[in-house]
Amino acid sequence: MIPLRALLPPALTLGSLVGGGLLYLSPATTPYAFPLHYGALLLLGLPVVWRTTRGMLRGAFAADVVAMLAIATAIALQQPIAGLVIVLMQT
């Protein structure tokens, strides 16, 4: 059985994608969608980047490195939806 703590990051990522998407539906709430998505990307993506970087320093190179670079690029280019999709795949 999967521990509940392991389910929290993917659930939060999916929830932020859906919640931000719902905010885009109304013109009155559209300005709040980007901050929600970008904040979630920072909150949920940076631990994935950190974990992969630590693994690289130990000599563990895998496909996770490409995903880490995609998350870091999404943060730098302010493209939170793309980054959150990668975070969802990694968690």
Side-chain angles (χ1 to χ4, degrees):
M1 175 134 181
I2 299 174
L4 289 178
R5 184 175 181 191
L7 296 176
L8 190 60
L12 288 174
T13 304
L14 187 59
S16 66
L17 281 168
V18 171
L22 291 174
L23 289 176
Y24 275 118
L25 294 177
S26 170
T29 58
T30 298
Y32 303 109
F34 179 80
L36 173 72
H37 280 145
Y38 198 68
L41 177 59
L42 291 174
L43 181 72
L44 299 165
L46 288 177
V48 174
V49 170
W50 177 248
R51 185 175 60 236
T52 305
T53 303
R54 280 192 351 225
M56 287 173 49
L57 293 175
R58 285 191 224 118
F61 290 91
D64 294 347
V65 175
V66 175
M68 180 215 42
L69 292 172
I71 294 169
T73 303
I75 290 170
L77 296 178
Q78 295 186 353
Q79 297 295 320
I81 295 174
L84 283 170
V85 170
I86 302 299
V87 169
L88 183 60
M89 291 188 306
Q90 288 297 105
T91 55

